[in-house]
Amino acid sequence: MSFLDYFLGSRKKSAHVAKDRLKLILAHERDADGPDFLPALQEELLAVIAKYIPVDKENIKVSMERRGDFEVLELNVLFPDQH
Amino acid sequence: MAKIIVITSGKGGVGKTTTSAAFASGLALRGYRTVVIDFDVGLRNLDLIMGCERRVVYDLINVIQGEAKLQQALIKDKRCENLYVLPTSQTRDKDALTTEGVTAVMDELRKEFDYIVCDSPAGIESGALMALYHADEAIVVTNPEVSSVRDSDRILGILAARSRRAELGEEPVKEHLLLTRYSPKRVEDGEMLSLGDVKELLRTPLLGVIPESEVILQASNQGIPAIHMENSDVAEAYKDVVARFLGEERPLRFIQPVKVGFFKRLFGG
């Protein structure tokens, strides 16, 4: 950008537009595929947790979702009743 | 133990063959026994970029179909002592490349070489899948441009799901990002995605940046791998890429615009 452009002001940089568009489309396309590792992760987490607490396979859920700029990995473990 | 590296991208024309030729030459210059294989069946071009097109007698498909021995198809590079080229065939038969055939060739090459560099065709069809199937590491060649970045993302997904390592549940293919045709001036002007942008979008470690350069055309015109173009920024950048691949620390170069004078800045240009 030249010095004169600076004073004349300029439109939004096209590289920014490119990045924003890519962010959206890549997130969308990745979600469509879904992360491949989730089932394996769930399996391994279950093994670790089961080592310490007796827990049913059905009572553990691993999920991944996107919230704004973040990806949130959620782990839900339902412990057996303590009585 | 031989290491297999696929040079891939999804999109065509981003510099896979240029990179395959330069990278394989660089490994050989470092003293490693290296072979570079063209997987682009029907559109053979690695031989031209390597400058050995007139010495092709037998090719990968001849070997797979048992019409020639591997030793007969390997072409010794004229510039590097330890480098061999395995060209592909011009056949239009898409099924010429078989999984069993490629596996057999790879197993034989593994015994003779330190590095096996696979030059993938564009796209995500069988040729590209075959090229990446055996890979231990992958260099994803990307231009700082929307379609190339999107296709690279796609190919990264395929590497994670369709490689031999993925199928056997082994340690995943080690992925590297190589940004090519990079123009620091245009990045500074906000007209081109920066290396930071592409790294962030693809979430893949950066192996290097190759600047946009007229030297690439001069090299391909003459059939000289770009890494041999003395005193060029492209050759230096490829040497850095090879060094980093081998585990050496090298700062990124050629990522800042060449400084222009005060008056040129004032009036643009």
Side-chain angles (χ1 to χ4, degrees), chain A residues 1-4 13-16 18-19 21-23 25-26 29-30 33 36 66 71, chain B residues 146 149-150 153-154 161 185 189-193 197 200-203 265-268:
Chain A
M1 187 169 71
S2 81
F3 194 54
L4 292 178
K13 297 295 183 192
S14 65
H16 279 276
K19 190 181 178 186
R21 291 175 60 215
L22 277 167
K23 262 188 185 166
I25 192 71
L26 294 190
E29 286 172 352
R30 281 174 194 150
D33 291 346
D36 303 330
R66 179 169 290 276
E71 262 182 333
Chain B
V146 286
V149 172
R150 183 197 213 171
D153 192 65
R154 199 91 176 88
K185 173 79 173 75
D189 290 349
E191 292 173 6
M192 183 181 270
L193 291 165
D197 291 339
E200 185 190 327
L201 287 161
L202 294 177
R203 307 170 189 168
R265 274 224 305 267
L266 186 60
F267 296 107

mmCIF file of all heavy atoms in Angstrom, chain A residues 1-4 13-16 18-19 21-23 25-26 29-30 33 36 66 71, chain B residues 146 149-150 153-154 161 185 189-193 197 200-203 265-268:
data_model
loop_
_atom_site.group_PDB
_atom_site.id
_atom_site.type_symbol
_atom_site.label_atom_id
_atom_site.label_comp_id
_atom_site.label_asym_id
_atom_site.label_seq_id
_atom_site.Cartn_x
_atom_site.Cartn_y
_atom_site.Cartn_z
ATOM 1 N N MET A 1 0.848 -1.191 0.000
ATOM 2 C CA MET A 1 0.000 0.000 0.000
ATOM 3 C C MET A 1 0.883 1.240 0.000
ATOM 4 O O MET A 1 1.806 1.354 0.799
ATOM 5 C CB MET A 1 -0.892 -0.019 1.250
ATOM 6 C CG MET A 1 -1.904 1.079 1.250
ATOM 7 S SD MET A 1 -3.132 0.872 2.543
ATOM 8 C CE MET A 1 -2.171 1.215 3.998
ATOM 9 N N SER A 2 0.619 2.138 -0.868
ATOM 10 C CA SER A 2 1.445 3.334 -0.921
ATOM 11 C C SER A 2 0.956 4.366 0.099
ATOM 12 O O SER A 2 -0.141 4.255 0.662
ATOM 13 C CB SER A 2 1.423 3.949 -2.316
ATOM 14 O OG SER A 2 0.256 4.726 -2.480
ATOM 15 N N PHE A 3 1.775 5.368 0.314
ATOM 16 C CA PHE A 3 1.495 6.440 1.260
ATOM 17 C C PHE A 3 0.201 7.165 0.877
ATOM 18 O O PHE A 3 -0.622 7.512 1.718
ATOM 19 C CB PHE A 3 2.693 7.394 1.218
ATOM 20 C CG PHE A 3 2.723 8.364 2.350
ATOM 21 C CD1 PHE A 3 2.668 7.900 3.674
ATOM 22 C CD2 PHE A 3 2.834 9.725 2.117
ATOM 23 C CE1 PHE A 3 2.725 8.799 4.722
ATOM 24 C CE2 PHE A 3 2.890 10.622 3.169
ATOM 25 C CZ PHE A 3 2.847 10.161 4.477
ATOM 26 N N LEU A 4 0.024 7.356 -0.430
ATOM 27 C CA LEU A 4 -1.170 8.072 -0.894
ATOM 28 C C LEU A 4 -2.437 7.262 -0.630
ATOM 29 O O LEU A 4 -3.453 7.815 -0.221
ATOM 30 C CB LEU A 4 -1.044 8.405 -2.385
ATOM 31 C CG LEU A 4 0.029 9.447 -2.717
ATOM 32 C CD1 LEU A 4 0.119 9.680 -4.220
ATOM 33 C CD2 LEU A 4 -0.255 10.772 -2.007
ATOM 34 N N LYS A 13 -9.221 -5.297 2.812
ATOM 35 C CA LYS A 13 -8.203 -6.054 2.085
ATOM 36 C C LYS A 13 -8.753 -7.404 1.624
ATOM 37 O O LYS A 13 -9.388 -8.117 2.397
ATOM 38 C CB LYS A 13 -6.998 -6.275 2.993
ATOM 39 C CG LYS A 13 -6.324 -4.979 3.417
ATOM 40 C CD LYS A 13 -5.719 -4.288 2.210
ATOM 41 C CE LYS A 13 -4.976 -3.040 2.629
ATOM 42 N NZ LYS A 13 -4.646 -2.220 1.473
ATOM 43 N N SER A 14 -8.429 -7.745 0.394
ATOM 44 C CA SER A 14 -8.998 -8.981 -0.155
ATOM 45 C C SER A 14 -8.466 -10.231 0.559
ATOM 46 O O SER A 14 -9.147 -11.241 0.642
ATOM 47 C CB SER A 14 -8.764 -9.066 -1.656
ATOM 48 O OG SER A 14 -7.390 -9.164 -1.934
ATOM 49 N N ALA A 15 -7.248 -10.154 1.103
ATOM 50 C CA ALA A 15 -6.715 -11.316 1.816
ATOM 51 C C ALA A 15 -7.550 -11.624 3.063
ATOM 52 O O ALA A 15 -7.754 -12.783 3.418
ATOM 53 C CB ALA A 15 -5.257 -11.085 2.209
ATOM 54 N N HIS A 16 -8.060 -10.555 3.692
ATOM 55 C CA HIS A 16 -8.930 -10.749 4.859
ATOM 56 C C HIS A 16 -10.217 -11.449 4.463
ATOM 57 O O HIS A 16 -10.699 -12.339 5.161
ATOM 58 C CB HIS A 16 -9.296 -9.397 5.500
ATOM 59 C CG HIS A 16 -8.222 -8.864 6.392
ATOM 60 N ND1 HIS A 16 -8.104 -9.250 7.703
ATOM 61 C CD2 HIS A 16 -7.217 -8.010 6.142
ATOM 62 C CE1 HIS A 16 -7.058 -8.637 8.233
ATOM 63 N NE2 HIS A 16 -6.496 -7.887 7.307
ATOM 64 N N ALA A 18 -10.593 -13.374 1.951
ATOM 65 C CA ALA A 18 -10.249 -14.768 1.626
ATOM 66 C C ALA A 18 -10.177 -15.608 2.895
ATOM 67 O O ALA A 18 -10.722 -16.712 2.969
ATOM 68 C CB ALA A 18 -8.913 -14.818 0.888
ATOM 69 N N LYS A 19 -9.516 -15.052 3.912
ATOM 70 C CA LYS A 19 -9.343 -15.812 5.155
ATOM 71 C C LYS A 19 -10.692 -16.082 5.820
ATOM 72 O O LYS A 19 -10.956 -17.206 6.265
ATOM 73 C CB LYS A 19 -8.432 -15.045 6.104
ATOM 74 C CG LYS A 19 -8.011 -15.875 7.291
ATOM 75 C CD LYS A 19 -7.131 -15.097 8.233
ATOM 76 C CE LYS A 19 -6.769 -15.958 9.428
ATOM 77 N NZ LYS A 19 -6.021 -15.193 10.429
ATOM 78 N N ARG A 21 -13.640 -16.194 4.442
ATOM 79 C CA ARG A 21 -14.424 -17.169 3.665
ATOM 80 C C ARG A 21 -13.904 -18.587 3.905
ATOM 81 O O ARG A 21 -14.671 -19.532 4.076
ATOM 82 C CB ARG A 21 -14.348 -16.830 2.181
ATOM 83 C CG ARG A 21 -15.081 -15.545 1.807
ATOM 84 C CD ARG A 21 -14.863 -15.194 0.359
ATOM 85 N NE ARG A 21 -15.343 -16.229 -0.535
ATOM 86 C CZ ARG A 21 -14.772 -16.552 -1.695
ATOM 87 N NH1 ARG A 21 -13.677 -15.938 -2.078
ATOM 88 N NH2 ARG A 21 -15.272 -17.492 -2.446
ATOM 89 N N LEU A 22 -12.574 -18.719 3.925
ATOM 90 C CA LEU A 22 -11.996 -20.052 4.127
ATOM 91 C C LEU A 22 -12.321 -20.600 5.512
ATOM 92 O O LEU A 22 -12.628 -21.782 5.666
ATOM 93 C CB LEU A 22 -10.485 -20.005 3.914
ATOM 94 C CG LEU A 22 -10.039 -20.100 2.454
ATOM 95 C CD1 LEU A 22 -8.569 -19.733 2.313
ATOM 96 C CD2 LEU A 22 -10.266 -21.499 1.886
ATOM 97 N N LYS A 23 -12.254 -19.734 6.522
ATOM 98 C CA LYS A 23 -12.561 -20.167 7.891
ATOM 99 C C LYS A 23 -13.936 -20.827 7.928
ATOM 100 O O LYS A 23 -14.108 -21.904 8.492
ATOM 101 C CB LYS A 23 -12.581 -18.952 8.821
ATOM 102 C CG LYS A 23 -11.305 -18.745 9.586
ATOM 103 C CD LYS A 23 -11.529 -17.635 10.612
ATOM 104 C CE LYS A 23 -10.258 -17.292 11.336
ATOM 105 N NZ LYS A 23 -10.390 -16.022 12.066
ATOM 106 N N ILE A 25 -15.875 -21.983 5.372
ATOM 107 C CA ILE A 25 -16.100 -23.158 4.531
ATOM 108 C C ILE A 25 -15.330 -24.371 5.066
ATOM 109 O O ILE A 25 -15.831 -25.488 5.052
ATOM 110 C CB ILE A 25 -15.771 -22.858 3.040
ATOM 111 C CG1 ILE A 25 -16.295 -23.981 2.140
ATOM 112 C CG2 ILE A 25 -14.305 -22.653 2.770
ATOM 113 C CD1 ILE A 25 -17.778 -24.026 2.019
ATOM 114 N N LEU A 26 -14.112 -24.148 5.587
ATOM 115 C CA LEU A 26 -13.345 -25.282 6.107
ATOM 116 C C LEU A 26 -14.019 -25.864 7.348
ATOM 117 O O LEU A 26 -14.099 -27.087 7.509
ATOM 118 C CB LEU A 26 -11.906 -24.872 6.439
ATOM 119 C CG LEU A 26 -11.015 -24.470 5.259
ATOM 120 C CD1 LEU A 26 -9.570 -24.334 5.715
ATOM 121 C CD2 LEU A 26 -11.087 -25.460 4.110
ATOM 122 N N GLU A 29 -16.962 -27.869 6.155
ATOM 123 C CA GLU A 29 -16.611 -29.130 5.496
ATOM 124 C C GLU A 29 -16.012 -30.139 6.467
ATOM 125 O O GLU A 29 -16.180 -31.338 6.307
ATOM 126 C CB GLU A 29 -15.659 -28.858 4.322
ATOM 127 C CG GLU A 29 -16.405 -28.236 3.151
ATOM 128 C CD GLU A 29 -15.513 -27.751 2.023
ATOM 129 O OE1 GLU A 29 -14.273 -27.743 2.180
ATOM 130 O OE2 GLU A 29 -16.064 -27.363 0.997
ATOM 131 N N ARG A 30 -15.291 -29.626 7.468
ATOM 132 C CA ARG A 30 -14.736 -30.550 8.468
ATOM 133 C C ARG A 30 -15.845 -31.153 9.320
ATOM 134 O O ARG A 30 -15.806 -32.339 9.642
ATOM 135 C CB ARG A 30 -13.750 -29.821 9.378
ATOM 136 C CG ARG A 30 -12.404 -29.625 8.748
ATOM 137 C CD ARG A 30 -11.534 -28.780 9.655
ATOM 138 N NE ARG A 30 -10.353 -28.306 8.941
ATOM 139 C CZ ARG A 30 -9.740 -27.172 9.213
ATOM 140 N NH1 ARG A 30 -10.181 -26.394 10.181
ATOM 141 N NH2 ARG A 30 -8.677 -26.811 8.547
ATOM 142 N N ASP A 33 -17.526 -34.034 7.676
ATOM 143 C CA ASP A 33 -16.804 -35.307 7.797
ATOM 144 C C ASP A 33 -16.889 -35.838 9.223
ATOM 145 O O ASP A 33 -16.946 -37.031 9.439
ATOM 146 C CB ASP A 33 -15.321 -35.131 7.427
ATOM 147 C CG ASP A 33 -15.172 -34.864 5.942
ATOM 148 O OD1 ASP A 33 -16.157 -35.093 5.220
ATOM 149 O OD2 ASP A 33 -14.102 -34.415 5.514
ATOM 150 N N ASP A 36 -12.632 -38.052 12.908
ATOM 151 C CA ASP A 36 -12.556 -39.517 12.835
ATOM 152 C C ASP A 36 -12.144 -40.150 14.151
ATOM 153 O O ASP A 36 -12.363 -41.320 14.384
ATOM 154 C CB ASP A 36 -11.521 -39.945 11.787
ATOM 155 C CG ASP A 36 -11.853 -39.366 10.432
ATOM 156 O OD1 ASP A 36 -13.045 -39.173 10.182
ATOM 157 O OD2 ASP A 36 -10.921 -39.121 9.660
ATOM 158 N N ARG A 66 -18.555 -26.828 17.706
ATOM 159 C CA ARG A 66 -17.928 -25.543 17.457
ATOM 160 C C ARG A 66 -18.790 -24.445 18.051
ATOM 161 O O ARG A 66 -19.986 -24.394 17.829
ATOM 162 C CB ARG A 66 -17.802 -25.366 15.949
ATOM 163 C CG ARG A 66 -17.197 -24.067 15.517
ATOM 164 C CD ARG A 66 -16.891 -24.134 14.048
ATOM 165 N NE ARG A 66 -15.790 -25.036 13.798
ATOM 166 C CZ ARG A 66 -14.505 -24.673 13.901
ATOM 167 N NH1 ARG A 66 -14.190 -23.441 14.224
ATOM 168 N NH2 ARG A 66 -13.544 -25.529 13.653
ATOM 169 N N GLU A 71 -13.454 -24.732 19.427
ATOM 170 C CA GLU A 71 -13.985 -26.070 19.297
ATOM 171 C C GLU A 71 -14.044 -26.616 20.707
ATOM 172 O O GLU A 71 -13.069 -26.522 21.449
ATOM 173 C CB GLU A 71 -13.059 -26.936 18.445
ATOM 174 C CG GLU A 71 -13.526 -27.028 17.022
ATOM 175 C CD GLU A 71 -12.637 -27.909 16.196
ATOM 176 O OE1 GLU A 71 -11.455 -28.041 16.527
ATOM 177 O OE2 GLU A 71 -13.130 -28.482 15.224
ATOM 178 N N VAL B 146 -7.367 -19.230 -2.199
ATOM 179 C CA VAL B 146 -8.492 -19.942 -1.594
ATOM 180 C C VAL B 146 -8.692 -21.388 -2.067
ATOM 181 O O VAL B 146 -8.870 -22.285 -1.250
ATOM 182 C CB VAL B 146 -9.837 -19.167 -1.727
ATOM 183 C CG1 VAL B 146 -9.878 -17.982 -0.772
ATOM 184 C CG2 VAL B 146 -10.091 -18.721 -3.151
ATOM 185 N N VAL B 149 -5.946 -23.738 -0.725
ATOM 186 C CA VAL B 149 -6.049 -23.987 0.723
ATOM 187 C C VAL B 149 -7.183 -24.967 1.018
ATOM 188 O O VAL B 149 -7.029 -25.921 1.790
ATOM 189 C CB VAL B 149 -6.266 -22.664 1.500
ATOM 190 C CG1 VAL B 149 -6.566 -22.941 2.976
ATOM 191 C CG2 VAL B 149 -5.042 -21.768 1.376
ATOM 192 N N ARG B 150 -8.306 -24.771 0.337
ATOM 193 C CA ARG B 150 -9.429 -25.674 0.562
ATOM 194 C C ARG B 150 -9.078 -27.108 0.148
ATOM 195 O O ARG B 150 -9.364 -28.062 0.876
ATOM 196 C CB ARG B 150 -10.622 -25.191 -0.245
ATOM 197 C CG ARG B 150 -11.854 -26.018 -0.015
ATOM 198 C CD ARG B 150 -12.853 -25.774 -1.096
ATOM 199 N NE ARG B 150 -14.231 -25.864 -0.629
ATOM 200 C CZ ARG B 150 -15.267 -25.526 -1.362
ATOM 201 N NH1 ARG B 150 -15.099 -25.065 -2.572
ATOM 202 N NH2 ARG B 150 -16.479 -25.666 -0.893
ATOM 203 N N ASP B 153 -6.828 -28.784 2.610
ATOM 204 C CA ASP B 153 -7.565 -29.230 3.787
ATOM 205 C C ASP B 153 -8.218 -30.588 3.516
ATOM 206 O O ASP B 153 -8.216 -31.487 4.355
ATOM 207 C CB ASP B 153 -8.637 -28.211 4.159
ATOM 208 C CG ASP B 153 -9.223 -28.481 5.533
ATOM 209 O OD1 ASP B 153 -8.461 -28.364 6.511
ATOM 210 O OD2 ASP B 153 -10.410 -28.820 5.627
ATOM 211 N N ARG B 154 -8.725 -30.713 2.322
ATOM 212 C CA ARG B 154 -9.372 -31.957 1.901
ATOM 213 C C ARG B 154 -8.359 -33.104 1.898
ATOM 214 O O ARG B 154 -8.628 -34.190 2.391
ATOM 215 C CB ARG B 154 -9.924 -31.706 0.501
ATOM 216 C CG ARG B 154 -10.958 -32.602 0.039
ATOM 217 C CD ARG B 154 -12.356 -32.120 0.368
ATOM 218 N NE ARG B 154 -13.262 -33.088 -0.249
ATOM 219 C CZ ARG B 154 -13.659 -34.184 0.362
ATOM 220 N NH1 ARG B 154 -13.322 -34.422 1.612
ATOM 221 N NH2 ARG B 154 -14.432 -35.051 -0.263
ATOM 222 N N ALA B 161 -7.301 -40.436 6.931
ATOM 223 C CA ALA B 161 -8.299 -41.511 6.897
ATOM 224 C C ALA B 161 -7.934 -42.668 5.965
ATOM 225 O O ALA B 161 -8.289 -43.813 6.222
ATOM 226 C CB ALA B 161 -9.651 -40.930 6.483
ATOM 227 N N LYS B 185 5.457 -9.215 -0.911
ATOM 228 C CA LYS B 185 4.957 -7.875 -1.229
ATOM 229 C C LYS B 185 3.422 -7.879 -1.261
ATOM 230 O O LYS B 185 2.774 -6.997 -0.690
ATOM 231 C CB LYS B 185 5.522 -7.460 -2.597
ATOM 232 C CG LYS B 185 4.956 -6.159 -3.162
ATOM 233 C CD LYS B 185 5.605 -4.940 -2.522
ATOM 234 C CE LYS B 185 5.180 -3.640 -3.203
ATOM 235 N NZ LYS B 185 3.801 -3.240 -2.849
ATOM 236 N N ASP B 189 0.669 -6.020 1.148
ATOM 237 C CA ASP B 189 -0.381 -5.160 0.598
ATOM 238 C C ASP B 189 -1.791 -5.665 0.923
ATOM 239 O O ASP B 189 -2.773 -5.049 0.521
ATOM 240 C CB ASP B 189 -0.221 -5.054 -0.925
ATOM 241 C CG ASP B 189 1.003 -4.243 -1.306
ATOM 242 O OD1 ASP B 189 1.586 -3.609 -0.404
ATOM 243 O OD2 ASP B 189 1.375 -4.249 -2.490
ATOM 244 N N GLY B 190 -1.857 -6.792 1.606
ATOM 245 C CA GLY B 190 -3.166 -7.316 1.965
ATOM 246 C C GLY B 190 -3.891 -7.985 0.813
ATOM 247 O O GLY B 190 -5.102 -8.181 0.843
ATOM 248 N N GLU B 191 -3.124 -8.373 -0.218
ATOM 249 C CA GLU B 191 -3.738 -8.996 -1.392
ATOM 250 C C GLU B 191 -3.553 -10.505 -1.392
ATOM 251 O O GLU B 191 -4.059 -11.197 -2.284
ATOM 252 C CB GLU B 191 -3.083 -8.470 -2.675
ATOM 253 C CG GLU B 191 -3.349 -7.037 -2.976
ATOM 254 C CD GLU B 191 -2.512 -6.576 -4.166
ATOM 255 O OE1 GLU B 191 -1.835 -7.414 -4.789
ATOM 256 O OE2 GLU B 191 -2.531 -5.371 -4.442
ATOM 257 N N MET B 192 -2.765 -11.022 -0.450
ATOM 258 C CA MET B 192 -2.487 -12.455 -0.455
ATOM 259 C C MET B 192 -2.513 -12.969 0.970
ATOM 260 O O MET B 192 -2.061 -12.287 1.891
ATOM 261 C CB MET B 192 -1.102 -12.710 -1.078
ATOM 262 C CG MET B 192 -0.718 -14.155 -1.209
ATOM 263 S SD MET B 192 0.933 -14.392 -1.927
ATOM 264 C CE MET B 192 0.532 -14.492 -3.667
ATOM 265 N N LEU B 193 -3.058 -14.179 1.153
ATOM 266 C CA LEU B 193 -3.069 -14.816 2.465
ATOM 267 C C LEU B 193 -1.637 -14.924 2.978
ATOM 268 O O LEU B 193 -0.740 -15.296 2.224
ATOM 269 C CB LEU B 193 -3.662 -16.222 2.356
ATOM 270 C CG LEU B 193 -5.155 -16.328 2.056
ATOM 271 C CD1 LEU B 193 -5.497 -17.747 1.607
ATOM 272 C CD2 LEU B 193 -5.987 -15.936 3.267
ATOM 273 N N ASP B 197 -1.777 -16.924 8.186
ATOM 274 C CA ASP B 197 -3.171 -17.236 7.852
ATOM 275 C C ASP B 197 -3.308 -18.703 7.431
ATOM 276 O O ASP B 197 -4.174 -19.431 7.917
ATOM 277 C CB ASP B 197 -3.653 -16.375 6.665
ATOM 278 C CG ASP B 197 -3.795 -14.901 7.020
ATOM 279 O OD1 ASP B 197 -3.924 -14.600 8.221
ATOM 280 O OD2 ASP B 197 -3.782 -14.066 6.088
ATOM 281 N N GLU B 200 -2.737 -21.172 10.206
ATOM 282 C CA GLU B 200 -3.876 -21.168 11.119
ATOM 283 C C GLU B 200 -5.069 -21.918 10.520
ATOM 284 O O GLU B 200 -5.732 -22.700 11.194
ATOM 285 C CB GLU B 200 -4.252 -19.712 11.407
ATOM 286 C CG GLU B 200 -5.348 -19.543 12.445
ATOM 287 C CD GLU B 200 -5.827 -18.093 12.505
ATOM 288 O OE1 GLU B 200 -5.010 -17.172 12.292
ATOM 289 O OE2 GLU B 200 -7.034 -17.893 12.745
ATOM 290 N N LEU B 201 -5.300 -21.709 9.240
ATOM 291 C CA LEU B 201 -6.441 -22.350 8.585
ATOM 292 C C LEU B 201 -6.245 -23.861 8.484
ATOM 293 O O LEU B 201 -7.172 -24.634 8.702
ATOM 294 C CB LEU B 201 -6.656 -21.758 7.187
ATOM 295 C CG LEU B 201 -7.239 -20.338 7.138
ATOM 296 C CD1 LEU B 201 -6.975 -19.689 5.784
ATOM 297 C CD2 LEU B 201 -8.733 -20.378 7.428
ATOM 298 N N LEU B 202 -5.038 -24.284 8.169
ATOM 299 C CA LEU B 202 -4.805 -25.716 7.925
ATOM 300 C C LEU B 202 -4.280 -26.463 9.156
ATOM 301 O O LEU B 202 -4.211 -27.691 9.144
ATOM 302 C CB LEU B 202 -3.847 -25.903 6.741
ATOM 303 C CG LEU B 202 -4.405 -25.436 5.389
ATOM 304 C CD1 LEU B 202 -3.359 -25.597 4.288
ATOM 305 C CD2 LEU B 202 -5.667 -26.214 5.024
ATOM 306 N N ARG B 203 -3.889 -25.727 10.178
ATOM 307 C CA ARG B 203 -3.424 -26.332 11.438
ATOM 308 C C ARG B 203 -2.381 -27.429 11.208
ATOM 309 O O ARG B 203 -2.481 -28.532 11.741
ATOM 310 C CB ARG B 203 -4.595 -26.954 12.195
ATOM 311 C CG ARG B 203 -5.764 -26.028 12.424
ATOM 312 C CD ARG B 203 -6.888 -26.845 12.943
ATOM 313 N NE ARG B 203 -8.141 -26.136 13.021
ATOM 314 C CZ ARG B 203 -9.303 -26.731 13.226
ATOM 315 N NH1 ARG B 203 -9.347 -28.043 13.357
ATOM 316 N NH2 ARG B 203 -10.407 -26.052 13.286
ATOM 317 N N ARG B 265 7.736 4.402 -2.482
ATOM 318 C CA ARG B 265 6.703 4.166 -1.470
ATOM 319 C C ARG B 265 5.679 5.284 -1.477
ATOM 320 O O ARG B 265 4.484 5.073 -1.373
ATOM 321 C CB ARG B 265 7.338 4.085 -0.090
ATOM 322 C CG ARG B 265 7.839 2.716 0.256
ATOM 323 C CD ARG B 265 7.476 2.311 1.684
ATOM 324 N NE ARG B 265 7.911 3.241 2.701
ATOM 325 C CZ ARG B 265 9.061 3.142 3.351
ATOM 326 N NH1 ARG B 265 9.880 2.154 3.085
ATOM 327 N NH2 ARG B 265 9.366 4.008 4.267
ATOM 328 N N LEU B 266 6.190 6.518 -1.603
ATOM 329 C CA LEU B 266 5.345 7.695 -1.535
ATOM 330 C C LEU B 266 4.311 7.712 -2.669
ATOM 331 O O LEU B 266 3.142 8.020 -2.472
ATOM 332 C CB LEU B 266 6.226 8.953 -1.611
ATOM 333 C CG LEU B 266 5.505 10.289 -1.406
ATOM 334 C CD1 LEU B 266 4.858 10.334 -0.036
ATOM 335 C CD2 LEU B 266 6.500 11.433 -1.560
ATOM 336 N N PHE B 267 4.773 7.338 -3.859
ATOM 337 C CA PHE B 267 3.873 7.445 -5.000
ATOM 338 C C PHE B 267 3.302 6.092 -5.431
ATOM 339 O O PHE B 267 2.614 6.007 -6.442
ATOM 340 C CB PHE B 267 4.590 8.126 -6.166
ATOM 341 C CG PHE B 267 4.972 9.534 -5.830
ATOM 342 C CD1 PHE B 267 6.294 9.883 -5.584
ATOM 343 C CD2 PHE B 267 3.986 10.515 -5.702
ATOM 344 C CE1 PHE B 267 6.637 11.182 -5.247
ATOM 345 C CE2 PHE B 267 4.330 11.810 -5.359
ATOM 346 C CZ PHE B 267 5.650 12.159 -5.128
ATOM 347 N N GLY B 268 3.616 5.062 -4.687
ATOM 348 C CA GLY B 268 3.091 3.725 -5.026
ATOM 349 C C GLY B 268 3.859 3.147 -6.187
ATOM 350 O O GLY B 268 4.653 3.809 -6.839
#
